[in-house]
């Protein structure tokens, strides 16, 4: 699992989101226990590459697998929204964090604010 986590981290750094997702699916098919850290790395790889749909799908996959989302999970997803200017989804995730009692931090708020800015929603 440590090797998988390290590989995911490398995928994130080089924007190899496809390989990160592929590795995640391969681990799941081999019934490896996948944890929040590994999902976070895969979501971060999607975020870095601007692949919002993939990042959001991984969030859903976490729910299906009953893997807990944490602040890092949501930060990566909100940052993915920010990359593409999807302010509405960023705010939905921010609201969801409050509903499920996941701590929001400066990264969360800054990414959400940037998403609103990119979506030209600063007037609202």
């Amino acid at each position: 699992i440590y090797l998988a986590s390290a590989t995911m981290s490398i995928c994130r750094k080089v924007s190899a989101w496809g390989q990160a997702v592929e590795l995640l699916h391969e681990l799941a098919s081999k019934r490896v226990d996948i944890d929040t850290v590994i999902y976070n790395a895969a979501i971060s790889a999607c975020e870095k590459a601007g692949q919002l749909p993939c990042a959001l799908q991984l969030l859903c996959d976490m729910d299906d697998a009953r893997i807990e989302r944490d602040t890092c999970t949501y930060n990566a997803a909100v940052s993915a929204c920010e990359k593409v200017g999807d302010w509405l989804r960023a705010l939905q995730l921010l609201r969801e964090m409050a509903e499920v009692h996941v701590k929001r931090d400066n990264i969360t708020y800054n990414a959400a604010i940037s998403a609103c800015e990119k979506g030209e929603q600063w007037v609202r």
Side-chain angles (χ1 to χ4, degrees):
I1 198 106
Y2 295 111
L3 181 59
S5 184
T7 303
M8 287 286 190
S9 183
I10 291 167
C11 288
R12 178 182 54 80
K13 288 179 183 173
V14 298
S15 297
W17 67 275
Q19 288 85 347
V21 173
E22 189 176 309
L23 176 59
L24 188 65
H25 291 309
E26 185 176 329
L27 292 170
S29 73
K30 293 183 179 184
R31 303 213 188 285
V32 173
D33 286 332
I34 302 170
D35 62 8
T36 302
V37 173
I38 291 177
Y39 265 101
N40 289 352
I43 293 169
S44 291
C46 294
E47 174 267 320
K48 185 169 172 72
Q51 296 295 322
L52 178 60
C54 185
L56 296 177
Q57 181 58 54
L58 291 174
L59 282 177
C60 292
D61 293 350
M62 288 180 80
D63 279 346
D64 293 345
R66 299 200 190 308
I67 296 172
E68 187 176 339
R69 298 173 180 182
D70 63 12
T71 302
C72 292
T73 309
Y74 281 100
N75 283 350
V78 174
S79 292
C81 295
E82 180 267 329
K83 283 254 196 241
V84 300
D86 190 342
W87 62 274
L88 185 58
R89 185 65 177 138
L91 295 180
Q92 289 171 343
L93 289 169
L94 198 65
R95 187 176 309 113
E96 183 179 310
M97 289 177 78
E99 290 169 0
V100 297
H101 307 291
V102 173
K103 183 182 179 207
R104 294 164 288 178
D105 62 14
N106 288 340
I107 295 169
T108 317
Y109 290 116
N110 286 336
I113 290 167
S114 291
C116 291
E117 179 184 14
K118 285 186 179 179
E120 299 183 353
Q121 297 300 312
W122 58 85
V123 177
R124 293 180 187 217

